[in-house]
Amino acid sequence: MTPSAPSLPFRDKGLANTVAAETQMSFIDGAKGVLEYVGIDIDSLARQSTFEETVFLLWNRRLPKAAELQAFCASVRSEYEVDARVHDIVRALPRSTPPMHALRTLVSCLAHFDREADENSPEANRRKALRLLAKTPTLIAMFDRHRKGKPFIAPDRSIGIAENFLWMLNGARPTEAMSRALDICLVLHADHGLNASTFAARVTVATLSDMYSAITTAVGTLKGPLHGGANQEVMEMLLEIGDISKVDDYIMGKLSRKELVMGFGHRVYKAYDPRAGFLKTFAKQVATDTGNITLYDMSRRIEEIMAREVSAKGIYPNVDFYSATTYYSLGLDLDLFTCIFAMSRVGGWAGHCIEQLEANRLIRPQADYVGPHGVKYVAIAQR
Ligand code: SDX
């Protein structure tokens, strides 16, 4: 039987029109601005679920029963601590290290202290997913304490991921409102189809490498300002503008110079990002409660200008635009914003690694060669 001829290469730079995988975790309708996790709309989950329950949903494709959720939370909390030798590695990092560089290094370090690092069975990968979910917040908090010359705060196994992160970060018990605010942000950022960092993780694990390598790949990919790094740049922009009276000139100036306004636009959403919609309302509440309403008002004005100037191109606020004001109002340092994104998205990344291996095929696209042919080799003496 003659082998079937390979289908003609389909050129799709940026892969915007390419379906590279099937997933049962999140559904996105970019035209209508819809996001669902396992069929449940993101607004319902943000209002009624918790981050731990949302991760259980993503990994098991259903909501947990009460006893299952309790057991899942207990398993996560039992894995909060990191090996004592990781403490020494954190302390060895220069205090000036940008947090996402530190996180990329520290996530990778976890593999050295996990006997199952190279085990690729579904069971081993689920255990590693849980360890990564539980330990990522610890790594971020430890590095931030290190860079500020403060002692590490041990994780508290009696509380959930969001509250425990704020405790380890600040060494003070957060209010219930602050813990819940962060918990909601973690729900909103947990998964989002084949975004760049998730796709990168899938490419890595599709080679039958390991989950720690895949999550390290994902952290490095999320760092970019066209992806997860946008939220920090949004806040830097708001602080640079400084006052609502300067917003119009600042934004119009950027647009006239064809510069990107961070926190806007999306490869898939050509309507309002539903996460931005929820965060907008939420940001107003948190900003009001914390005396940062001016930042929210400036954000609203930026949105009005962008709506007038570029919404015809399908450019709307994305998840990063209002998460910036929310995180700032929670007292989080600007350069930790993308780490917060990562500690949530590690749930989606790990879920996609497991999903990729359920029906794996090496991911290896083609490239158009556009260089010369028939070039003669010239000995170095003749060059
Ligand atoms: C995330 O994929 C995901 O799911 C990602 C994410 C997730 O949950 O994982 O949702 C998280 O990454 C959100 C995006 C965060 N990034 C930013 O906010 C950075 C600013 N946004 C842009 O870089 C841009 O919108 C992208 C990268 C997000 C999407 O770009 P595309 O799909 O490649 O679109 P494009 O660059 O081709 O832009 C089309 C047009 C261009 O104008 P023209 O050349 O046609 O005249 O829209 C313009 C762009 O210049 N444009 C913008 C703009 N974004 C696009 N103009 C001004 N400001 C912007 N932010």
Side-chain angles (χ1 to χ4, degrees), residues 192 226-227 258 261 263-264 266-267 275 313 318 345:
H192 207 246
L226 294 189
H227 187 15
K258 298 290 279 177
V261 176
F264 284 84
H266 200 276
R267 174 58 61 80
R275 301 165 297 176
K313 286 184 183 177
N318 57 49
R345 189 55 59 86

Side-chain angles (χ1 to χ4, degrees), residues 38-262:
V38 196
I40 303 174
D41 74 273
I42 194 65
D43 209 73
S44 298
L45 289 166
R47 292 183 193 287
Q48 302 174 69
S49 187
T50 63
F51 179 52
E52 285 89 340
E53 183 181 71
T54 295
V55 173
F56 183 102
L57 169 68
L58 289 168
W59 291 359
N60 297 281
R61 319 257 161 69
R62 64 176 175 84
L63 288 170
K65 293 180 172 56
E68 289 175 314
L69 180 59
Q70 192 177 10
F72 182 71
C73 289
S75 302
V76 172
R77 297 176 188 189
S78 72
E79 290 284 3
Y80 279 162
E81 287 86 1
V82 296
D83 189 286
R85 289 163 289 181
V86 176
H87 293 224
D88 299 331
I89 294 169
V90 173
R91 292 193 186 97
L93 296 179
R95 290 185 178 181
S96 59
T97 304
M100 280 299 278
H101 281 290
L103 184 58
R104 188 190 60 232
T105 300
L106 295 172
V107 162
S108 180
C109 283
L110 292 178
H112 306 317
F113 309 103
D114 186 333
R115 285 190 298 276
E116 299 188 300
D118 282 320
E119 282 296 316
N120 255 334
S121 69
E123 297 75 18
N125 276 328
R126 274 184 174 268
R127 288 190 291 270
K128 285 184 278 184
L130 195 95
R131 292 179 192 127
L132 281 154
L133 182 74
K135 293 171 177 12
T136 299
T138 306
L139 296 175
I140 297 164
M142 287 176 73
F143 174 70
D144 189 59
R145 300 287 293 186
H146 160 63
R147 69 172 177 168
K148 292 172 180 169
K150 296 178 181 176
F152 296 148
I153 302 287
D156 179 346
R157 293 188 176 188
S158 69
I159 54 182
I161 291 174
E163 184 180 357
N164 182 49
F165 173 70
L166 293 172
W167 158 244
M168 294 186 294
L169 188 73
N170 302 318
R173 294 295 173 184
T175 63
E176 193 174 330
M178 290 184 73
S179 300
R180 180 57 184 150
L182 180 58
D183 188 46
I184 289 170
C185 291
L186 298 180
V187 169
L188 291 168
H189 286 80
D191 190 50
H192 207 246
L194 276 198
N195 58 86
S197 52
T198 297
F199 181 64
R202 278 201 176 227
V203 169
T204 300
V205 83
T207 69
L208 299 186
S209 180
D210 65 283
M211 188 174 283
Y212 287 104
S213 297
I215 304 303
T216 303
T217 304
V219 171
T221 306
L222 185 73
K223 175 175 171 289
L226 294 189
H227 187 15
N231 53 17
Q232 177 178 343
E233 301 217 3
V234 170
M235 198 61 234
E236 287 166 353
M237 172 177 70
L238 290 170
L239 294 174
E240 185 183 7
I241 295 173
D243 184 89
I244 196 162
S245 64
K246 302 191 175 85
V247 166
D248 288 56
D249 289 347
Y250 184 97
I251 297 300
M252 292 307 289
K254 283 185 83 72
L255 294 175
S256 64
R257 297 187 298 270
K258 298 290 279 177
E259 292 172 10
L260 296 173
V261 176
M262 293 299 169

Side-chain angles (χ1 to χ4, degrees), residues 360-378:
N360 189 41
R361 179 161 166 70
L362 179 73
I363 299 169
R364 198 274 186 220
Q366 298 182 40
D368 261 341
Y369 175 72
V370 293
H373 291 282
V375 178
K376 296 282 179 256
Y377 181 83
V378 178

